[in-house]
Amino acid sequence: MLSILSSKSCITMNTSQEKFFTREEYEQRIGRVHAAMNKAGIDVLITTHPSHVCYLTGHFTQAVNDLMVLVLPAGDRPILQLPFFERPRHTASGIGIEDVDNWAIGQDPATHVVSDIKKRKLDQGIIALDVAGIYTPYSFTHQLIENLNARTVTTLIDQVRMIKSPSEHAYLREAAVITDIGTQAAIDAFSEGAVDYDVAATAHAAMIKAGCESLTCDPYICIGWRTAAPHSNRGGHVATIEDPLFVELGATRARYTTPLMRSAVAGRTTPELTELAAVSNEVIEAVCSSARGGITASEVAAKGEAAIESLLPKILWHHNYGYPVGVGFAPAWIDCPHFLINADNHLPMIPGMVFHLPTQLRIDGRHGAGFSETIIITETGCEQLSQLPRKLVVR
């Protein structure tokens, strides 16, 4: 299978650098964060979130368990603090507009960062530490609060990142093509007697051959009872007649992930599985037909809720009709999690936002079926990125 990568993307393939956006785009992103800082009265913003660091500097690594620290002074260029061992990764992926400093192996990162900030005389104003996500250790947060009088913020950078640029959309479309390839491969590999390990291996191999980079999240391949237990995965299950298959994949391009859910059943379907799949499709249709720039997330969620209401007494349901996706790092592909399509979010959707609509419907202890889409919000509606039909495939 040939890779679907565009000629623009291939520029990075055989060089010692992985740079996916122009310097000008990064400067615009930094400018938007500077504007948000000014509005919030922040003089220095600090983040340890890999997605924020990647978005603002290009730097990325698979070792997201190793702390990285981006210090952004108001009106000035960013300062990226990394473990010394990670410096070659920055050379490969950083765009070069940031000042880079390193702490030595065995050195306490917080002590190094605090000392560097004071040496640069950046400790005189309001310092804010972004603690969104799971990437800011408590000990690091505590030391910055104690030694720099830092305050914490959560959504300042997320709010800037919610609206994706045309070039970000282009990578999401590339990822969608690869996701479709992997999803179709999983369905084609499934039938009575199929083992979930083999189905997963086929899907994963198909995506990699098509040009998928390192995954944000391991593919979910579930057969039988696992389709009813959220966040289950393969475990050696052998498909029998009427066993459902749940596939949730998200291929990655330039660290941008486009997830997708699809379902199949071995041999023949059942009335219950058919109903779950039909209602899942109705929910997605209701969300997609109402989503557009200007409408509130809660209004869109209400359309989805009306479509699913008849099944609520018997299914396991999270009541979130979509979550943002974009730049992604382990362990999950959700991006900017403050903006969900649910009844509690009364903020308007804005053209350029991107959402995954996860609609796997599950009967606890039995089975599940359903679908999803990843969509780009436009002025008049939404663009669905997958080209695969939403149907319960009988294999």
Side-chain angles (χ1 to χ4, degrees):
M1 183 181 298
L2 294 177
S3 167
I4 56 87
L5 303 186
S6 67
S7 58
K8 176 183 176 182
S9 304
C10 288
I11 292 172
T12 67
M13 297 297 285
N14 293 322
T15 70
S16 60
Q17 294 185 323
E18 298 175 287
K19 302 186 191 301
F20 300 104
F21 299 96
T22 65
R23 183 186 181 95
E24 289 72 26
E25 176 147 352
Y26 286 106
E27 289 172 343
Q28 290 168 7
R29 295 172 181 181
I30 291 168
R32 288 194 291 271
V33 175
H34 276 151
M37 290 169 59
N38 182 62
K39 185 176 180 180
I42 295 170
D43 297 299
V44 177
L45 178 64
I46 303 171
T47 182
T48 65
H49 199 304
S51 293
H52 295 343
V53 172
C54 183
Y55 179 79
L56 293 172
T57 71
H59 172 76
F60 69 94
T61 174
Q62 197 160 330
V64 293
N65 56 304
D66 288 336
L67 188 67
M68 59 184 78
V69 183
L70 185 68
V71 179
L72 184 61
D76 206 347
R77 69 178 191 162
I79 304 155
L80 183 58
Q81 304 272 7
L82 297 170
F84 177 78
F85 199 66
E86 285 292 312
R87 192 170 188 117
R89 276 302 313 157
H90 175 263
T91 301
S93 59
I95 199 66
I97 56 177
E98 63 281 3
D99 188 4
V100 183
D101 193 21
N102 306 105
W103 58 83
I105 295 174
Q107 185 179 9
D108 177 52
T111 301
H112 176 85
V113 170
V114 169
S115 175
D116 188 72
I117 287 174
K118 289 183 175 181
K119 182 175 67 176
R120 296 172 188 265
K121 303 188 184 305
L122 296 175
D123 60 332
Q124 307 304 311
I126 302 298
I127 299 176
L129 173 62
D130 168 61
V131 293
I134 60 172
Y135 305 98
T136 311
Y138 171 78
S139 59
F140 182 85
T141 302
H142 177 73
Q143 288 188 65
L144 263 65
I145 291 173
E146 286 289 309
N147 294 297
L148 296 174
N149 196 30
R151 72 188 203 194
T152 59
V153 295
T154 54
T155 65
L156 188 146
I157 302 176
D158 282 330
Q159 290 172 7
V160 171
R161 291 179 48 223
M162 272 297 299
I163 304 172
K164 307 295 189 284
S165 69
S167 52
E168 290 177 285
H169 293 158
Y171 283 122
L172 286 161
R173 292 188 187 98
E174 285 190 13
V177 173
I178 304 173
T179 298
D180 279 0
I181 289 170
T183 303
Q184 188 63 59
I187 293 171
D188 291 345
F190 175 69
S191 63
E192 182 186 6
V195 183
D196 55 12
Y197 293 143
D198 295 330
V199 176
T202 301
H204 203 170
M207 287 196 296
I208 292 172
K209 288 179 181 178
C212 182
E213 297 157 9
S214 59
L215 294 172
T216 300
C217 188
D218 197 51
Y220 289 101
I221 302 292
C222 301
I223 296 175
W225 65 265
R226 286 180 168 83
T227 63
H231 302 127
S232 295
N233 212 327
R234 59 191 181 272
H237 195 109
V238 180
T240 60
I241 289 291
E242 297 183 357
D243 261 349
L245 167 72
F246 169 63
V247 179
E248 184 177 16
L249 307 176
T252 303
R253 285 291 300 125
R255 297 310 321 156
Y256 285 74
T257 298
T258 305
L260 186 71
M261 295 176 174
R262 289 294 185 265
S263 292
V265 60
R268 61 177 179 264
T269 188
T270 67
E272 203 164 56
L273 287 172
T274 299
E275 181 184 32
L276 292 175
V279 173
S280 172
N281 191 53
E282 290 170 10
V283 172
I284 293 172
E285 288 290 343
V287 170
C288 288
S289 64
S290 58
R292 65 182 185 279
I295 193 171
T296 65
S298 57
E299 289 177 286
V300 176
K303 299 293 185 181
E305 194 83 2
I308 204 173
E309 188 174 13
S310 64
L311 276 187
L312 288 179
K314 69 176 184 179
I315 64 170
L316 188 64
W317 182 238
H318 44 61
H319 296 278
N320 283 324
Y321 293 89
Y323 59 78
V325 291
V327 179
F329 290 90
W333 44 55
I334 186 171
D335 188 35
C336 307
H338 72 285
F339 196 112
L340 301 176
I341 303 177
N342 63 23
D344 297 322
N345 183 3
H346 304 297
L347 294 173
M349 291 182 164
I350 299 173
M353 290 180 172
V354 182
F355 296 94
H356 179 224
L357 317 177
T359 319
Q360 168 78 349
L361 307 186
R362 302 170 172 95
I363 298 176
D364 190 16
R366 292 178 55 78
H367 45 229
F371 315 101
S372 76
E373 296 290 345
T374 293
I375 62 172
I376 300 174
I377 302 300
T378 68
E379 291 282 358
T380 58
C382 69
E383 174 189 351
Q384 298 179 38
L385 298 187
S386 175
Q387 301 301 310
L388 295 183
R390 291 192 302 273
K391 66 178 181 178
L392 182 63
V393 178
V394 179
R395 293 285 301 163

